[in-house]
Amino acid sequence: MNYCSHCGKPVTHRIPTGDNRHRYVCDHCNRIHYENPRIVAGTIPVWGDRILLCRRAIEPRRGFWTLPAGFMENSETTLEAAVRETLEEAMADVTIDGLYTVLDVPHIDQVHMFFRATLTNGHYGAGEESLEAELFGLDEIPWEELAFPTIRETLEYFVRDKAENHFPVRLGDIRRKLGQ
Amino acid sequence: MNYCSHCGKPVTHRIPTGDNRHRYVCDHCNRIHYENPRIVAGTIPVWGDRILLCRRAIEPRRGFWTLPAGFMENSETTLEAAVRETLEEAMADVTIDGLYTVLDVPHIDQVHMFFRATLTNGHYGAGEESLEAELFGLDEIPWEELAFPTIRETLEYFVRDKAENHFPVRLGDIRRKLGQ
Ligand SMILES: [Zn+2]
Ligand SMILES: [Zn+2]
């Protein structure tokens, strides 16, 4: 951030009076430009005993498999965001069965939230940001070709919880590993 | 938003190519300035059979009672944000017992997340943004003087779930009511 989005003058990066963190501050119009984590919302779309994954058509991690998910938009709920992303990326209409994972990813200022969901009619396809969409049995998940740590974490929980058919909400965080 | 925070030139508000929503777009440096919902994280701090509430010293809703909560910052987890806000607003050190409510507030572009927590040593006080902090029995909650709908919702769930001492994660949303 270089300029104030309100008045267009240059901002400075300093700790404002009464605060204890560095912020982008405009000394012309006195606005403080806060920056906050973003929510990524997605689903685990289930059809019978299989789950729907998408292969990414875009960077980062083009060619790798993911659960349908994306940035939550203003004016929608987390649940609506998850349903919308599933429609956009996997061309699949789903009903939500419940919140499932809430995974903090603090080194990239994100919180990932996945919902368990059921395909309403078994239809799916590759949305604009996907190369393909495919149903996988739980013993067919391409573990070595998953796009992101939160996808792996969510699927690992799901496979384990599926054994008992009991899906409590799972809270966790993905810390930066050395070399990543 | 009037100016591009990257290059300082005026932005326009339009639907970018390949998108389906209005965004603030800079036609000078071609950046798109996305806006996303913010997370408010807080706790239900418990000490014995009582819970800790704070009376707000700042607007909005100055003088009304709230659970300690505030905007999640970059580089922290939801849990860390909730613990930090509890320390700042109620001067109370807590250990987290679990995620409890996830409440979408789409008309103000927020998601509120409350954690069940236990005071580590029973100490508390009024932080800078609080007029006072006080422990309340579950039959003493000042229902008519609560600051926000998500505080009421979280406390209502808590009182109900406390009866069975079973606290599943509660997902919900607060829609704008007419006249609000
Ligand atoms: Zn300014
Ligand atoms: Zn620009």
Side-chain angles (χ1 to χ4, degrees):
Chain A
M1 188 179 300
N2 304 309
Y3 297 92
C4 173
S5 58
H6 182 74
C7 77
K9 295 287 185 297
V11 290
T12 55
H13 196 237
R14 62 175 170 80
I15 301 176
T17 310
D19 203 337
N20 54 16
R21 284 165 195 262
H22 276 79
R23 315 280 185 188
Y24 290 100
V25 179
C26 176
D27 290 312
H28 185 75
C29 73
N30 293 317
R31 275 180 176 72
I32 300 170
H33 299 283
Y34 296 96
E35 296 184 298
N36 301 91
R38 290 186 294 175
I39 293 172
V40 169
T43 64
I44 309 166
V46 173
W47 185 244
D49 285 331
R50 293 179 296 170
I51 59 168
L52 186 61
L53 299 178
C54 307
R55 205 150 69 82
R56 287 173 64 82
I58 55 171
E59 295 294 348
R61 303 290 279 167
R62 187 177 195 277
F64 287 82
W65 292 93
T66 187
L67 291 163
F71 287 113
M72 181 181 177
E73 302 271 9
N74 278 353
S75 302
E76 66 185 1
T77 64
T78 48
L79 191 149
E80 289 166 350
V83 167
R84 176 182 52 72
E85 289 289 344
T86 307
L87 194 59
E88 288 177 5
E89 297 193 353
M91 298 174 73
D93 191 45
V94 292
T95 56
I96 296 292
D97 299 315
L99 177 62
Y100 186 48
T101 54
V102 178
L103 301 169
D104 289 292
V105 196
H107 61 279
I108 53 173
D109 307 320
Q110 294 180 3
V111 179
H112 291 203
M113 297 175 59
F114 286 92
F115 293 81
R116 292 181 299 108
T118 303
L119 296 187
T120 54
N121 53 28
H123 294 174
Y124 60 89
E128 280 188 16
E129 299 185 354
S130 305
L131 295 170
E132 59 182 314
E134 200 52 69
L135 290 169
F136 289 86
L138 294 190
D139 54 354
E140 302 169 335
I141 293 171
W143 294 106
E144 302 308 315
E145 297 166 58
L146 296 178
F148 305 111
T150 55
I151 304 298
R152 165 181 286 273
E153 187 101 343
T154 296
L155 290 173
E156 285 178 351
Y157 277 128
F158 188 82
V159 168
R160 247 178 288 157
D161 288 341
K162 178 68 180 166
E164 311 218 339
N165 228 37
H166 176 58
F167 302 94
V169 175
R170 302 292 189 173
L171 179 74
D173 64 76
I174 309 286
R175 302 285 178 165
R176 193 204 314 262
K177 312 279 196 311
L178 285 173
Q180 284 188 329
Chain B
M1 189 179 302
N2 304 309
Y3 296 92
C4 173
S5 57
H6 183 74
C7 76
K9 296 287 186 294
V11 291
T12 54
H13 197 236
R14 61 175 169 79
I15 301 177
T17 311
D19 202 337
N20 54 16
R21 284 166 195 262
H22 277 78
R23 314 281 185 189
Y24 290 100
V25 180
C26 177
D27 290 313
H28 184 75
C29 72
N30 293 316
R31 276 181 174 70
I32 301 171
H33 300 281
Y34 296 95
E35 297 184 298
N36 300 91
R38 289 187 295 175
I39 293 173
V40 169
T43 64
I44 308 166
V46 174
W47 185 243
D49 285 332
R50 293 179 295 170
I51 58 169
L52 186 61
L53 299 178
C54 307
R55 205 152 68 83
R56 288 174 62 82
I58 55 171
E59 296 294 345
R61 301 292 276 165
R62 185 176 195 279
F64 287 82
W65 291 92
T66 186
L67 292 164
F71 288 111
M72 182 182 176
E73 301 271 8
N74 278 352
S75 303
E76 66 183 0
T77 64
T78 48
L79 192 148
E80 289 167 349
V83 168
R84 176 183 53 72
E85 289 290 345
T86 307
L87 193 59
E88 289 177 6
E89 297 193 353
M91 297 175 73
D93 191 46
V94 291
T95 55
I96 296 292
D97 299 314
L99 177 62
Y100 185 49
T101 55
V102 178
L103 301 169
D104 289 292
V105 197
H107 63 278
I108 51 171
D109 305 321
Q110 294 180 4
V111 179
H112 292 201
M113 298 175 57
F114 286 92
F115 293 81
R116 292 181 299 109
T118 303
L119 295 187
T120 54
N121 53 28
H123 295 173
Y124 61 89
E128 278 188 17
E129 300 184 354
S130 304
L131 296 169
E132 58 181 314
E134 201 50 69
L135 289 170
F136 289 87
L138 294 190
D139 56 352
E140 302 169 334
I141 293 171
W143 294 106
E144 301 310 315
E145 297 166 58
L146 295 178
F148 305 110
T150 55
I151 303 298
R152 166 180 287 271
E153 187 100 344
T154 296
L155 289 174
E156 285 178 352
Y157 276 127
F158 188 82
V159 168
R160 248 177 288 155
D161 288 341
K162 179 68 181 166
E164 312 219 336
N165 229 35
H166 175 60
F167 302 93
V169 175
R170 302 291 188 176
L171 179 74
D173 64 75
I174 309 287
R175 304 283 179 168
R176 194 203 315 261
K177 311 278 194 313
L178 284 174
Q180 285 189 326

